[in-house]
Amino acid sequence: MRTKALYRNIQRLLPAFEAAARNESFTIAGEEVGLTQSSVSKQIMELERRLGQPLFVRSHKQISLTPAGHRLLKAYTRAASQIIDALDDLLLERSKKQIVISTSTANAAFMLLPRVAEVRECFPGGEIFVVTSDPQGIQPTDQVDLALAFGKPDYAGFKSRALFADILTPVCTPDFLRKNGPLRAVVDLLNCELLYMQAQHPSWLGWRQWLREFGLELPKKHQPMGFNSYYNTIQACLAGQGVALGWLRLLGDLLESGQLVTPLPDFLETEERYHLAWPSHRRQEFDIEPFEAWLSRRYGGNIPGYTRASTALI
């Protein structure tokens, strides 16, 4: 109780102390904190009395800090800096416009993250926060402002706009093809390690559906290597562990750089399309069109080596 009484309201004395310590003058300190020179002197004397030791060495028309004064000034400055940082954060949170984009792990890894600067340009003045939600890419919470999903969203409370379909074909690394190729026909895939993502949503297509479009069934003895994430599937493919079913809209950068290749001329275009979705119960505070236009321009155009004439539709 004695300690609490000692420090009660002591904070009211600290601004005068800090100003005097920084300016080495009671007069200038008074001008800063709106007190007379004598009032500043009285407050500091009260502070010294309550601390039981001097904070200033006083000489004719000059003051300087004692070791105790230096210690108190250092602590006060550190605390003031933390308070200023907190105030800046609070002001920034009040003024900033955060846009929460929900999408699948694969869409985030292969579409958005490689082009953060381009995505940012679609939302001028807004802070972009990307959350991932598998399998479809929509997190049905009030915090989501916009979602990028493959397949029409099946969550209530969302409006959506269709974008473009995807094209599926086998992909592998050039080194895997050299060691295990050549692959001249679809049937040759049955001699390869097939990497796949376990289907978690009706919109997702796997090896069985793809092979059936070309008149083949996976033999019962054939056991592909499975993952619960398409990102992990492609990482295994990049490590040369096998052939993955490539969603070419997602993998354009890896194909363009030569890290992955398409060994067969057999393509499958999906009937499902990518969609932009947004909550229907509240008004959007930003324009969706720039992001939609960017997605269509960046990922919805022609794919090198692919022609619609050589494509089945599923």
Side-chain angles (χ1 to χ4, degrees), residues 100-102 131 138-147 158 277-279 282 284:
V100 179
I101 301 177
S102 178
V131 296
I138 297 179
Q139 190 176 76
T141 70
D142 289 337
Q143 296 179 344
V144 170
D145 298 302
L146 191 61
F158 278 84
W278 58 93
R282 54 186 167 89
Q284 291 290 358

Side-chain angles (χ1 to χ4, degrees), residues 170 184-191 194 206-220 222 264 266 314:
R184 296 188 175 91
V186 173
V187 70
D188 294 335
L189 291 169
L190 302 183
N191 297 318
L194 300 182
W207 277 115
R208 293 188 184 279
Q209 298 100 312
W210 193 90
L211 289 170
R212 282 170 186 163
E213 292 300 312
F214 297 95
L216 288 176
E217 290 283 346
L218 272 178
K220 292 183 178 180
H222 198 103
L264 294 173
D266 303 282
I314 188 171

Side-chain angles (χ1 to χ4, degrees), residues 234-287:
I234 295 304
Q235 292 306 306
C237 186
L238 288 168
Q241 299 303 303
V243 181
L245 191 55
W247 294 64
L248 300 190
R249 300 293 185 194
L250 289 177
L251 304 181
D253 287 347
L254 296 174
L255 293 166
E256 186 176 345
S257 67
Q259 295 179 72
L260 293 178
V261 295
T262 56
L264 294 173
D266 303 282
F267 299 88
L268 202 65
E269 184 172 356
T270 63
E271 289 185 353
E272 289 277 14
R273 306 173 79 82
Y274 289 89
H275 284 73
L276 275 182
W278 58 93
S280 58
H281 63 279
R282 54 186 167 89
R283 184 178 64 86
Q284 291 290 358
E285 297 182 358
F286 57 91
D287 191 3

Side-chain angles (χ1 to χ4, degrees), residues 196-213:
Y196 79 100
M197 192 195 88
Q198 182 180 18
Q200 299 172 334
H201 191 271
S203 64
W204 190 262
L205 304 177
W207 277 115
R208 293 188 184 279
Q209 298 100 312
W210 193 90
L211 289 170
R212 282 170 186 163
E213 292 300 312

